[in-house]
Amino acid sequence: MKKKKIMFPFVLLIALSMLLAACGGGSDEGNGGDGGDTPDFMSLVTGGTGGTYYPLGGAFAEIITDATDIQTNAEVSGASAENMNTIRDGNAEIAFSQTDIASYAKNGEQMFEGEAVENVSAIGTLYPETIQIVTTAGSGIESVEDLAGKKVSIGAPGSGTALNAEQILEVHDMTLEDIEKQDLSFDESTAGIQDGTIDAAFVTAGSPTGAVEGLSATEDIVIVPIEQDKIDALIEAYPFYIQDEVPSGTYKLTEAVPTVAVQAMLVVSNDLSEDVVYDVTKAIFENLDKVAHDKGKLISAENAVNGVGIDIHPGAQKYYDEQGIEAE
Protein backbone atom coordinates (compact mmCIF):
# COMPACT_ATOMS: atom_id res chain seq x y z
CA MET A 1 0.00 0.00 0.00
CA LYS A 2 2.84 2.32 0.85
CA LYS A 3 4.48 1.51 -2.48
CA LYS A 4 1.34 2.53 -4.39
CA LYS A 5 1.31 5.94 -2.68
CA ILE A 6 4.84 6.56 -3.89
CA MET A 7 4.12 5.47 -7.46
CA PHE A 8 0.98 7.55 -7.98
CA PRO A 9 2.66 10.99 -7.73
CA PHE A 10 5.53 9.71 -9.88
CA VAL A 11 3.17 8.61 -12.67
CA LEU A 12 1.23 11.87 -12.35
CA LEU A 13 4.46 13.85 -12.71
CA ILE A 14 5.41 11.97 -15.88
CA ALA A 15 1.94 12.50 -17.35
CA LEU A 16 2.05 16.22 -16.55
CA SER A 17 5.50 16.54 -18.13
CA MET A 18 4.30 14.88 -21.32
CA LEU A 19 1.27 17.18 -21.46
CA LEU A 20 3.44 20.29 -21.08
CA ALA A 21 5.82 19.05 -23.76
CA ALA A 22 2.93 18.49 -26.15
CA CYS A 23 1.51 21.97 -25.52
CA GLY A 24 4.81 23.81 -25.78
CA GLY A 25 6.68 21.61 -28.16
CA GLY A 26 5.47 23.12 -31.40
CA SER A 27 8.31 24.65 -33.30
CA ASP A 28 10.35 27.68 -34.05
CA GLU A 29 7.92 30.14 -35.51
CA GLY A 30 8.81 33.29 -37.32
CA ASN A 31 11.71 34.22 -39.51
CA GLY A 32 14.21 31.41 -39.59
CA GLY A 33 12.23 28.71 -37.85
CA ASP A 34 13.06 25.41 -39.50
CA GLY A 35 10.28 23.47 -37.85
CA GLY A 36 6.75 24.73 -37.51
CA ASP A 37 3.39 23.43 -38.44
CA THR A 38 2.72 23.03 -42.14
CA PRO A 39 -0.45 24.98 -42.87
CA ASP A 40 -3.36 23.31 -44.61
CA PHE A 41 -4.17 26.48 -46.53
CA MET A 42 -2.36 29.61 -47.70
CA SER A 43 -3.61 32.85 -49.22
CA LEU A 44 -1.59 34.50 -51.98
CA VAL A 45 -2.73 38.11 -52.43
CA THR A 46 -2.14 39.56 -55.88
CA GLY A 47 -3.68 42.68 -57.47
CA GLY A 48 -6.60 43.63 -59.69
CA THR A 49 -7.85 41.23 -62.36
CA GLY A 50 -6.62 43.56 -65.12
CA GLY A 51 -3.00 43.56 -63.99
CA THR A 52 -0.14 41.07 -64.12
CA TYR A 53 -0.12 39.95 -60.48
CA TYR A 54 -3.46 38.18 -60.65
CA PRO A 55 -2.81 35.78 -63.57
CA LEU A 56 0.73 35.10 -62.35
CA GLY A 57 -0.59 34.56 -58.84
CA GLY A 58 -3.09 32.04 -60.14
CA ALA A 59 -0.31 30.09 -61.82
CA PHE A 60 1.91 30.23 -58.72
CA ALA A 61 -0.95 29.15 -56.45
CA GLU A 62 -1.61 26.10 -58.62
CA ILE A 63 2.09 25.21 -58.70
CA ILE A 64 2.43 25.53 -54.92
CA THR A 65 -0.70 23.47 -54.32
CA ASP A 66 0.46 20.68 -56.61
CA ALA A 67 4.06 20.60 -55.34
CA THR A 68 3.52 21.01 -51.60
CA ASP A 69 -0.03 19.70 -50.99
CA ILE A 70 -0.77 23.01 -49.24
CA GLN A 71 -3.99 24.36 -50.75
CA THR A 72 -3.03 27.83 -52.00
CA ASN A 73 -5.51 30.32 -53.41
CA ALA A 74 -4.74 33.48 -55.41
CA GLU A 75 -6.89 36.37 -54.22
CA VAL A 76 -7.74 39.71 -55.86
CA SER A 77 -6.50 42.74 -53.92
CA GLY A 78 -5.54 46.40 -54.18
CA ALA A 79 -1.95 45.29 -54.87
CA SER A 80 1.35 46.27 -53.25
CA ALA A 81 0.61 48.54 -50.29
CA GLU A 82 -2.62 46.76 -49.38
CA ASN A 83 -0.85 43.41 -49.69
CA MET A 84 1.86 44.44 -47.23
CA ASN A 85 -0.80 45.48 -44.72
CA THR A 86 -2.59 42.16 -45.27
CA ILE A 87 0.62 40.28 -44.44
CA ARG A 88 1.16 42.46 -41.35
CA ASP A 89 -2.36 41.75 -40.12
CA GLY A 90 -1.92 37.99 -40.54
CA ASN A 91 -4.58 37.67 -43.25
CA ALA A 92 -2.31 36.22 -45.96
CA GLU A 93 0.87 34.18 -46.11
CA ILE A 94 2.29 35.15 -49.53
CA ALA A 95 1.98 38.42 -51.47
CA PHE A 96 3.06 40.26 -54.57
CA SER A 97 4.60 43.69 -54.06
CA GLN A 98 6.69 46.25 -55.82
CA THR A 99 10.22 46.36 -54.44
CA ASP A 100 9.88 50.03 -53.50
CA ILE A 101 6.67 49.43 -51.56
CA ALA A 102 8.11 46.43 -49.72
CA SER A 103 11.07 48.56 -48.68
CA TYR A 104 8.82 51.38 -47.47
CA ALA A 105 6.72 48.86 -45.52
CA LYS A 106 9.67 47.16 -43.83
CA ASN A 107 11.26 50.51 -42.89
CA GLY A 108 8.05 52.27 -41.85
CA GLU A 109 8.40 54.97 -44.50
CA GLN A 110 6.03 56.87 -46.80
CA MET A 111 2.49 55.45 -46.45
CA PHE A 112 3.76 53.07 -43.73
CA GLU A 113 5.17 55.77 -41.47
CA GLY A 114 4.55 54.68 -37.89
CA GLU A 115 3.11 51.36 -39.10
CA ALA A 116 6.10 49.32 -40.24
CA VAL A 117 5.46 45.79 -41.49
CA GLU A 118 7.97 43.86 -39.41
CA ASN A 119 6.76 40.29 -40.00
CA VAL A 120 7.68 40.05 -43.68
CA SER A 121 10.62 38.72 -45.70
CA ALA A 122 11.30 38.20 -49.39
CA ILE A 123 11.15 35.14 -51.57
CA GLY A 124 12.73 37.15 -54.37
CA THR A 125 12.27 39.55 -57.26
CA LEU A 126 10.42 38.48 -60.40
CA TYR A 127 10.40 40.93 -63.33
CA PRO A 128 10.34 44.67 -64.14
CA GLU A 129 7.13 46.52 -63.27
CA THR A 130 6.84 49.04 -66.07
CA ILE A 131 5.24 52.42 -65.35
CA GLN A 132 2.89 52.96 -68.28
CA ILE A 133 1.08 56.28 -68.66
CA VAL A 134 -1.84 55.21 -70.82
CA THR A 135 -4.04 57.44 -72.95
CA THR A 136 -5.46 57.54 -76.49
CA ALA A 137 -4.49 59.39 -79.63
CA GLY A 138 -7.67 61.42 -79.38
CA SER A 139 -6.78 62.85 -75.97
CA GLY A 140 -4.05 65.12 -77.31
CA ILE A 141 -1.77 64.08 -74.43
CA GLU A 142 1.78 63.62 -75.71
CA SER A 143 3.92 64.41 -72.65
CA VAL A 144 3.74 64.17 -68.86
CA GLU A 145 3.28 67.95 -68.72
CA ASP A 146 0.15 67.55 -70.88
CA LEU A 147 -1.50 65.71 -67.96
CA ALA A 148 -2.02 69.05 -66.19
CA GLY A 149 -5.71 69.74 -65.70
CA LYS A 150 -6.70 66.30 -67.01
CA LYS A 151 -8.64 63.55 -65.26
CA VAL A 152 -5.93 61.00 -64.49
CA SER A 153 -6.20 57.71 -62.61
CA ILE A 154 -3.24 56.94 -60.35
CA GLY A 155 -4.32 53.41 -59.43
CA ALA A 156 -6.47 51.71 -56.83
CA PRO A 157 -6.32 52.91 -53.22
CA GLY A 158 -3.57 50.98 -51.44
CA SER A 159 -1.60 50.28 -54.62
CA GLY A 160 1.99 51.30 -55.26
CA THR A 161 1.07 53.01 -58.52
CA ALA A 162 -0.03 56.20 -56.77
CA LEU A 163 3.41 56.81 -55.31
CA ASN A 164 5.02 56.14 -58.71
CA ALA A 165 2.69 58.72 -60.23
CA GLU A 166 3.51 61.26 -57.53
CA GLN A 167 7.27 60.80 -57.96
CA ILE A 168 7.11 61.03 -61.77
CA LEU A 169 5.06 64.21 -61.53
CA GLU A 170 7.58 65.53 -59.00
CA VAL A 171 10.53 65.36 -61.41
CA HIS A 172 8.37 67.23 -63.92
CA ASP A 173 7.82 70.01 -61.32
CA MET A 174 4.20 68.92 -60.88
CA THR A 175 2.11 67.55 -58.03
CA LEU A 176 -1.12 65.57 -57.73
CA GLU A 177 -2.90 68.89 -57.36
CA ASP A 178 -2.03 69.67 -60.98
CA ILE A 179 -4.26 66.84 -62.20
CA GLU A 180 -7.84 65.79 -61.49
CA LYS A 181 -6.81 62.71 -59.56
CA GLN A 182 -8.88 59.53 -59.83
CA ASP A 183 -8.26 56.40 -57.71
CA LEU A 184 -9.21 53.55 -60.01
CA SER A 185 -8.11 49.96 -60.55
CA PHE A 186 -6.50 49.08 -63.87
CA ASP A 187 -9.77 47.68 -65.24
CA GLU A 188 -11.70 50.74 -64.08
CA SER A 189 -9.02 53.01 -65.53
CA THR A 190 -9.12 51.50 -69.01
CA ALA A 191 -12.92 51.42 -68.93
CA GLY A 192 -12.87 55.10 -67.97
CA ILE A 193 -10.53 55.95 -70.84
CA GLN A 194 -12.74 54.02 -73.23
CA ASP A 195 -15.97 55.75 -72.19
CA GLY A 196 -14.34 59.17 -71.89
CA THR A 197 -14.81 59.72 -68.15
CA ILE A 198 -11.04 60.00 -67.63
CA ASP A 199 -8.24 61.11 -69.95
CA ALA A 200 -5.28 59.00 -68.87
CA ALA A 201 -4.07 56.48 -66.30
CA PHE A 202 -0.87 55.43 -64.60
CA VAL A 203 -0.50 51.65 -64.78
CA THR A 204 2.43 50.01 -62.97
CA ALA A 205 2.54 46.42 -64.14
CA GLY A 206 4.43 44.05 -66.36
CA SER A 207 3.76 44.87 -69.98
CA PRO A 208 1.77 43.82 -71.83
CA THR A 209 -0.89 44.43 -69.18
CA GLY A 210 -4.22 42.69 -69.71
CA ALA A 211 -6.42 45.72 -69.09
CA VAL A 212 -4.41 47.86 -71.51
CA GLU A 213 -4.38 45.09 -74.13
CA GLY A 214 -8.16 45.01 -73.89
CA LEU A 215 -8.33 48.76 -74.44
CA SER A 216 -5.99 48.55 -77.45
CA ALA A 217 -8.49 46.26 -79.17
CA THR A 218 -10.90 49.17 -79.55
CA GLU A 219 -8.77 52.32 -79.14
CA ASP A 220 -5.62 53.80 -80.66
CA ILE A 221 -3.38 53.54 -77.59
CA VAL A 222 -0.70 56.08 -76.67
CA ILE A 223 1.88 55.40 -73.97
CA VAL A 224 3.19 58.77 -72.80
CA PRO A 225 7.02 58.83 -72.93
CA ILE A 226 9.28 59.96 -70.10
CA GLU A 227 12.20 61.96 -71.46
CA GLN A 228 15.75 60.83 -70.71
CA ASP A 229 16.66 63.79 -68.49
CA LYS A 230 13.59 63.13 -66.36
CA ILE A 231 14.41 59.41 -66.19
CA ASP A 232 17.91 60.28 -64.99
CA ALA A 233 16.53 62.69 -62.37
CA LEU A 234 14.03 60.12 -61.13
CA ILE A 235 16.66 57.38 -60.77
CA GLU A 236 18.98 59.78 -58.95
CA ALA A 237 16.24 60.75 -56.50
CA TYR A 238 14.79 57.25 -56.12
CA PRO A 239 17.41 54.55 -56.87
CA PHE A 240 14.90 51.68 -56.87
CA TYR A 241 13.76 52.80 -60.35
CA ILE A 242 15.39 51.38 -63.46
CA GLN A 243 15.21 52.56 -67.06
CA ASP A 244 12.75 50.59 -69.17
CA GLU A 245 10.62 50.79 -72.28
CA VAL A 246 7.33 49.55 -73.66
CA PRO A 247 8.47 47.64 -76.78
CA SER A 248 7.31 48.35 -80.29
CA GLY A 249 4.35 46.16 -81.20
CA THR A 250 2.97 46.14 -77.67
CA TYR A 251 -0.60 47.52 -77.75
CA LYS A 252 -0.01 48.00 -81.54
CA LEU A 253 2.63 50.68 -80.86
CA THR A 254 4.70 51.54 -83.91
CA GLU A 255 7.83 52.33 -81.89
CA ALA A 256 9.24 51.67 -78.42
CA VAL A 257 8.34 54.17 -75.71
CA PRO A 258 10.94 55.14 -73.06
CA THR A 259 9.82 54.93 -69.44
CA VAL A 260 10.92 53.57 -66.04
CA ALA A 261 10.19 50.51 -63.93
CA VAL A 262 10.41 49.14 -60.43
CA GLN A 263 10.50 45.38 -59.86
CA ALA A 264 7.80 42.95 -58.88
CA MET A 265 8.63 40.61 -56.02
CA LEU A 266 7.11 37.90 -53.86
CA VAL A 267 7.10 38.30 -50.09
CA VAL A 268 6.08 35.93 -47.31
CA SER A 269 4.96 36.13 -43.72
CA ASN A 270 7.67 35.32 -41.21
CA ASP A 271 5.14 33.03 -39.53
CA LEU A 272 5.89 30.49 -42.25
CA SER A 273 8.66 28.08 -41.31
CA GLU A 274 11.95 27.69 -43.14
CA ASP A 275 10.84 24.31 -44.49
CA VAL A 276 7.57 25.63 -45.92
CA VAL A 277 9.19 28.66 -47.58
CA TYR A 278 11.95 26.46 -48.99
CA ASP A 279 9.31 24.18 -50.53
CA VAL A 280 7.36 27.16 -51.93
CA THR A 281 10.50 28.73 -53.41
CA LYS A 282 11.64 25.45 -54.95
CA ALA A 283 8.17 24.78 -56.35
CA ILE A 284 7.92 28.13 -58.11
CA PHE A 285 11.39 28.29 -59.64
CA GLU A 286 11.44 24.67 -60.76
CA ASN A 287 8.03 24.82 -62.44
CA LEU A 288 8.20 28.08 -64.39
CA ASP A 289 7.45 26.10 -67.56
CA LYS A 290 3.88 25.88 -66.23
CA VAL A 291 3.49 29.67 -66.22
CA ALA A 292 1.74 30.70 -69.43
CA HIS A 293 1.94 34.49 -68.91
CA ASP A 294 4.59 36.31 -70.96
CA LYS A 295 6.28 37.56 -67.79
CA GLY A 296 7.06 33.99 -66.82
CA LYS A 297 9.88 34.11 -69.38
CA LEU A 298 11.58 36.90 -67.40
CA ILE A 299 11.46 35.10 -64.04
CA SER A 300 14.44 33.08 -62.85
CA ALA A 301 16.03 32.01 -59.59
CA GLU A 302 19.33 33.52 -60.81
CA ASN A 303 17.79 37.02 -60.94
CA ALA A 304 15.56 36.66 -57.87
CA VAL A 305 18.23 37.71 -55.38
CA ASN A 306 19.03 41.00 -57.17
CA GLY A 307 17.48 44.29 -56.07
CA VAL A 308 15.37 42.68 -53.35
CA GLY A 309 15.69 45.56 -50.87
CA ILE A 310 14.54 43.61 -47.78
CA ASP A 311 15.79 40.46 -46.03
CA ILE A 312 15.33 37.18 -47.86
CA HIS A 313 13.50 34.55 -45.81
CA PRO A 314 15.88 31.80 -44.60
CA GLY A 315 13.81 29.17 -46.40
CA ALA A 316 14.24 30.94 -49.74
CA GLN A 317 17.89 31.65 -48.98
CA LYS A 318 18.45 27.93 -48.34
CA TYR A 319 17.18 27.19 -51.84
CA TYR A 320 19.42 29.84 -53.44
CA ASP A 321 22.43 28.58 -51.48
CA GLU A 322 21.81 25.04 -52.74
CA GLN A 323 21.76 26.37 -56.30
CA GLY A 324 24.92 28.44 -55.77
CA ILE A 325 23.03 31.67 -56.52
CA GLU A 326 24.39 34.94 -55.14
CA ALA A 327 23.37 38.56 -55.61
CA GLU A 328 25.28 40.41 -58.31
Side-chain angles (χ1 to χ4, degrees):
M1 192 70 181
K2 194 171 182 180
K3 188 174 183 181
K4 289 182 181 178
K5 288 182 180 179
I6 294 172
M7 287 295 296
F8 179 76
F10 178 70
V11 172
L12 183 62
L13 181 60
I14 291 175
L16 183 59
S17 299
M18 292 175 66
L19 179 62
L20 289 173
C23 293
S27 62
D28 295 326
E29 289 188 358
N31 195 355
D34 59 1
D37 294 334
T38 299
D40 295 322
F41 173 87
M42 293 191 296
S43 292
L44 194 167
V45 284
T46 61
T49 56
T52 305
Y53 289 172
Y54 183 70
L56 269 184
F60 288 167
E62 186 173 343
I63 287 169
I64 293 167
T65 299
D66 291 344
T68 69
D69 290 329
I70 303 172
Q71 178 62 45
T72 304
N73 285 358
E75 299 180 9
V76 175
S77 74
S80 298
E82 180 181 308
N83 290 352
M84 298 304 289
N85 288 329
T86 303
I87 290 283
R88 181 190 60 208
D89 296 340
N91 294 322
E93 288 74 30
I94 311 173
F96 281 81
S97 177
Q98 295 172 199
T99 48
D100 54 336
I101 301 303
S103 178
Y104 293 147
K106 189 74 173 181
N107 296 324
E109 299 171 343
Q110 296 289 346
M111 70 281 280
F112 298 97
E113 188 170 353
E115 296 184 341
V117 181
E118 298 177 350
N119 63 326
V120 68
S121 298
I123 285 182
T125 57
L126 301 172
Y127 60 87
E129 289 261 56
T130 307
I131 288 85
Q132 304 160 79
I133 308 173
V134 183
T135 188
T136 62
S139 71
I141 298 171
E142 298 179 351
S143 67
V144 174
E145 289 86 353
D146 289 340
L147 295 174
K150 303 292 187 179
K151 293 180 180 178
V152 183
S153 171
I154 63 169
S159 71
T161 305
L163 199 52
N164 300 143
E166 188 172 358
Q167 290 163 348
I168 289 170
L169 291 174
E170 177 189 311
V171 298
H172 289 83
D173 298 319
M174 298 170 66
T175 70
L176 293 176
E177 293 181 359
D178 292 313
I179 63 174
E180 291 190 38
K181 179 177 72 70
Q182 310 290 312
D183 302 298
L184 305 175
S185 70
F186 296 160
D187 284 328
E188 292 169 335
S189 294
T190 52
I193 290 172
Q194 186 169 29
D195 63 26
T197 56
I198 66 171
D199 301 298
F202 282 81
V203 174
T204 301
S207 66
T209 306
V212 184
E213 281 191 305
L215 181 63
S216 71
T218 59
E219 301 289 339
D220 187 4
I221 291 290
V222 170
I223 303 296
V224 179
I226 302 177
E227 300 301 328
Q228 189 63 52
D229 62 329
K230 302 302 184 184
I231 290 174
D232 294 340
L234 188 67
I235 293 172
E236 183 177 355
Y238 303 102
F240 44 73
Y241 284 102
I242 60 173
Q243 186 159 342
D244 199 10
E245 67 175 27
V246 180
S248 173
T250 308
Y251 315 132
K252 304 177 184 175
L253 297 173
T254 57
E255 58 184 30
V257 179
T259 185
V260 292
V262 289
Q263 291 196 84
M265 69 186 303
L266 274 182
V267 300
V268 291
S269 168
N270 289 343
D271 290 338
L272 291 180
S273 71
E274 180 176 322
D275 289 344
V276 169
V277 177
Y278 171 86
D279 289 343
V280 168
T281 307
K282 179 181 175 71
I284 290 171
F285 288 114
E286 296 189 1
N287 290 280
L288 289 171
D289 59 317
K290 298 178 182 177
V291 177
H293 195 281
D294 286 346
K295 286 303 170 188
K297 300 180 181 67
L298 300 179
I299 301 171
S300 70
E302 288 72 22
N303 293 330
V305 296
N306 295 321
V308 176
I310 64 173
D311 291 338
I312 295 176
H313 192 285
Q317 188 62 58
K318 178 182 176 182
Y319 177 76
Y320 300 133
D321 289 345
E322 285 182 355
Q323 305 304 309
I325 295 171
E326 297 181 358
E328 295 177 356

